[in-house]
Coordinates of all heavy atoms in Angstrom, one line a residue:
I27 N 3.3 -114.1 -59.3 CA 4.7 -114.4 -59.2 C 5.6 -113.5 -60.1 O 6.6 -113.0 -59.6 CB 5.0 -115.9 -59.6 CG1 4.4 -116.8 -58.6 CG2 6.5 -116.2 -59.8 CD1 4.3 -118.3 -59.0
F29 N 4.8 -110.5 -61.0 CA 4.4 -109.0 -60.7 C 3.9 -108.3 -62.0 O 4.3 -107.2 -62.3 CB 5.6 -108.3 -60.2 CG 6.2 -108.9 -58.9 CD1 7.4 -109.5 -58.9 CD2 5.5 -108.8 -57.7 CE1 8.0 -110.0 -57.7 CE2 6.0 -109.3 -56.5 CZ 7.2 -109.9 -56.5
I32 N 2.3 -104.9 -61.6 CA 3.3 -103.9 -61.3 C 4.1 -103.5 -62.5 O 4.3 -102.3 -62.8 CB 4.2 -104.3 -60.2 CG1 3.4 -104.5 -58.9 CG2 5.4 -103.4 -59.9 CD1 4.2 -105.1 -57.7
M43 N 6.2 -90.7 -69.1 CA 7.3 -89.9 -68.8 C 8.1 -89.5 -70.1 O 8.5 -88.4 -70.3 CB 8.3 -90.6 -67.9 CG 8.0 -90.4 -66.4 SD 9.0 -91.5 -65.4 CE 10.6 -90.7 -65.7
R58 N 2.3 -67.0 -70.4 CA 1.4 -66.1 -69.7 C 0.1 -65.9 -70.5 O 0.2 -65.9 -71.7 CB 2.1 -64.7 -69.5 CG 3.3 -64.8 -68.6 CD 3.9 -63.4 -68.5 NE 3.1 -62.5 -67.7 CZ 3.1 -62.5 -66.4 NH1 3.9 -63.3 -65.7 NH2 2.3 -61.7 -65.7
V72 N -2.7 -42.8 -64.1 CA -1.9 -42.4 -65.2 C -0.9 -41.3 -64.7 O -1.3 -40.3 -64.1 CB -2.7 -41.8 -66.4 CG1 -1.8 -41.3 -67.5 CG2 -3.6 -42.9 -66.9
T77 N 4.9 -33.6 -65.2 CA 5.0 -33.3 -63.8 C 5.4 -34.5 -63.0 O 5.9 -34.4 -61.8 CB 3.7 -32.8 -63.2 OG1 2.7 -33.9 -63.3 CG2 3.1 -31.6 -64.0
I81 N -2.6 -37.2 -63.1 CA -3.4 -36.2 -63.9 C -4.8 -36.0 -63.3 O -5.6 -35.2 -63.8 CB -3.4 -36.5 -65.4 CG1 -4.1 -37.9 -65.6 CG2 -2.1 -36.5 -66.0 CD1 -4.4 -38.2 -67.0
E100 N -8.7 -37.3 -51.4 CA -8.7 -36.0 -50.7 C -7.8 -35.0 -51.5 O -7.0 -35.4 -52.2 CB -8.0 -36.2 -49.3 CG -8.9 -37.1 -48.4 CD -8.3 -37.3 -47.0 OE1 -7.3 -36.6 -46.6 OE2 -8.7 -38.2 -46.3
E116 N -6.7 -43.3 -52.6 CA -6.6 -44.6 -52.1 C -7.7 -45.5 -52.7 O -8.9 -45.1 -52.8 CB -6.8 -44.6 -50.6 CG -5.7 -43.9 -49.8 CD -6.0 -43.6 -48.4 OE1 -7.2 -43.6 -48.0 OE2 -5.1 -43.5 -47.6
V119 N -8.5 -52.4 -52.8 CA -8.8 -53.3 -53.9 C -9.5 -54.6 -53.4 O -10.3 -55.2 -54.2 CB -7.4 -53.7 -54.6 CG1 -7.7 -54.7 -55.7 CG2 -6.8 -52.4 -55.2
E130 N -14.6 -45.4 -66.3 CA -15.5 -44.8 -67.3 C -15.9 -43.4 -67.0 O -16.1 -42.6 -67.9 CB -16.8 -45.7 -67.5 CG -16.5 -47.0 -68.3 CD -17.8 -47.8 -68.5 OE1 -18.9 -47.1 -68.5 OE2 -17.7 -49.0 -68.6
L139 N -8.0 -49.3 -65.4 CA -7.9 -50.7 -64.9 C -7.1 -51.5 -66.0 O -7.5 -51.7 -67.1 CB -9.3 -51.3 -64.9 CG -10.2 -50.7 -63.8 CD1 -11.6 -51.2 -63.9 CD2 -9.7 -51.0 -62.4
D152 N -1.1 -54.9 -48.6 CA -0.5 -55.2 -49.9 C -1.5 -54.8 -51.0 O -1.2 -54.5 -52.1 CB -0.1 -56.6 -50.1 CG 1.1 -57.0 -49.3 OD1 1.8 -56.1 -48.9 OD2 1.4 -58.2 -49.1
D156 N -2.3 -46.9 -52.4 CA -2.3 -45.4 -52.2 C -1.8 -44.8 -53.5 O -1.6 -45.5 -54.5 CB -1.5 -45.0 -51.0 CG 0.0 -45.4 -51.2 OD1 0.4 -45.8 -52.3 OD2 0.7 -45.3 -50.2
K157 N -1.7 -43.5 -53.5 CA -1.4 -42.8 -54.8 C 0.0 -43.3 -55.3 O 0.1 -43.5 -56.5 CB -1.3 -41.3 -54.5 CG -1.3 -40.5 -55.7 CD -1.4 -39.0 -55.4 CE -0.1 -38.3 -55.6 NZ -0.1 -36.9 -55.4
I168 N 3.1 -49.7 -68.2 CA 3.6 -49.2 -69.4 C 4.9 -49.9 -69.8 O 5.1 -50.2 -71.0 CB 3.8 -47.7 -69.3 CG1 2.5 -46.9 -69.3 CG2 4.7 -47.1 -70.4 CD1 1.7 -47.0 -70.6
V169 N 5.7 -50.1 -68.9 CA 7.0 -50.7 -69.2 C 6.9 -52.2 -69.7 O 7.6 -52.6 -70.6 CB 7.9 -50.8 -67.9 CG1 9.1 -51.7 -68.1 CG2 8.4 -49.4 -67.6
N177 N -7.4 -52.0 -74.9 CA -8.7 -51.4 -74.6 C -9.0 -50.4 -75.7 O -8.4 -49.3 -75.8 CB -8.7 -50.7 -73.3 CG -10.0 -50.3 -72.8 OD1 -10.9 -50.1 -73.6 ND2 -10.3 -50.2 -71.5
P178 N -10.0 -50.6 -76.5 CA -10.3 -49.8 -77.7 C -11.2 -48.6 -77.3 O -11.5 -47.8 -78.2 CB -10.9 -50.7 -78.7 CG -11.6 -51.7 -77.8 CD -10.9 -51.8 -76.5
W180 N -10.9 -46.0 -75.0 CA -10.5 -44.7 -74.5 C -9.0 -44.6 -74.8 O -8.3 -45.5 -74.9 CB -10.8 -44.5 -73.0 CG -10.3 -45.7 -72.2 CD1 -11.0 -46.8 -71.9 CD2 -9.0 -45.9 -71.6 NE1 -10.3 -47.6 -71.1 CE2 -9.1 -47.1 -71.0 CE3 -7.9 -45.1 -71.6 CZ2 -8.0 -47.6 -70.3 CZ3 -6.8 -45.6 -70.9 CH2 -6.8 -46.8 -70.3
D187 N 1.5 -43.3 -78.4 CA 0.7 -43.7 -79.5 C 0.9 -45.1 -79.9 O 0.0 -45.8 -80.3 CB 0.8 -42.7 -80.7 CG 0.2 -41.4 -80.4 OD1 -0.5 -41.3 -79.4 OD2 0.5 -40.4 -81.1
K188 N 2.2 -45.5 -79.9 CA 2.5 -46.9 -80.4 C 1.8 -48.0 -79.5 O 1.7 -49.1 -79.9 CB 4.0 -47.1 -80.4 CG 4.7 -47.0 -79.1 CD 6.2 -47.3 -79.2 CE 6.8 -47.3 -77.9 NZ 7.7 -46.4 -77.5
L189 N 1.4 -47.6 -78.3 CA 0.7 -48.6 -77.5 C -0.8 -48.7 -77.8 O -1.5 -49.5 -77.2 CB 0.9 -48.3 -76.0 CG 2.3 -48.4 -75.5 CD1 2.4 -48.0 -74.0 CD2 2.8 -49.9 -75.7
L190 N -1.3 -47.8 -78.6 CA -2.7 -47.8 -78.9 C -3.0 -48.8 -80.0 O -2.2 -49.0 -80.9 CB -3.1 -46.4 -79.4 CG -3.2 -45.3 -78.3 CD1 -3.5 -44.0 -79.0 CD2 -4.3 -45.6 -77.4
P191 N -4.1 -49.4 -80.0 CA -4.4 -50.4 -81.0 C -4.7 -49.6 -82.3 O -5.1 -48.4 -82.3 CB -5.7 -51.0 -80.6 CG -6.3 -50.1 -79.5 CD -5.1 -49.4 -78.9
R193 N -7.0 -49.8 -84.5 CA -8.4 -49.3 -84.7 C -8.6 -48.0 -84.0 O -9.2 -47.1 -84.5 CB -9.3 -50.4 -84.1 CG -10.7 -50.3 -84.6 CD -11.5 -51.5 -84.1 NE -12.5 -51.0 -83.2 CZ -13.1 -51.7 -82.3 NH1 -12.6 -52.9 -82.0 NH2 -14.0 -51.2 -81.6

Side-chain angles (χ1 to χ4, degrees):
I27 291 170
F29 302 112
I32 293 175
M43 278 173 64
R58 295 177 71 83
V72 176
T77 65
I81 59 172
E100 292 178 15
E116 297 168 332
V119 175
E130 282 184 30
L139 293 173
D152 288 343
D156 61 11
K157 194 173 106 176
I168 286 296
V169 166
N177 189 334
W180 50 270
D187 288 347
K188 62 178 186 244
L189 292 178
L190 287 172
R193 198 174 118 207

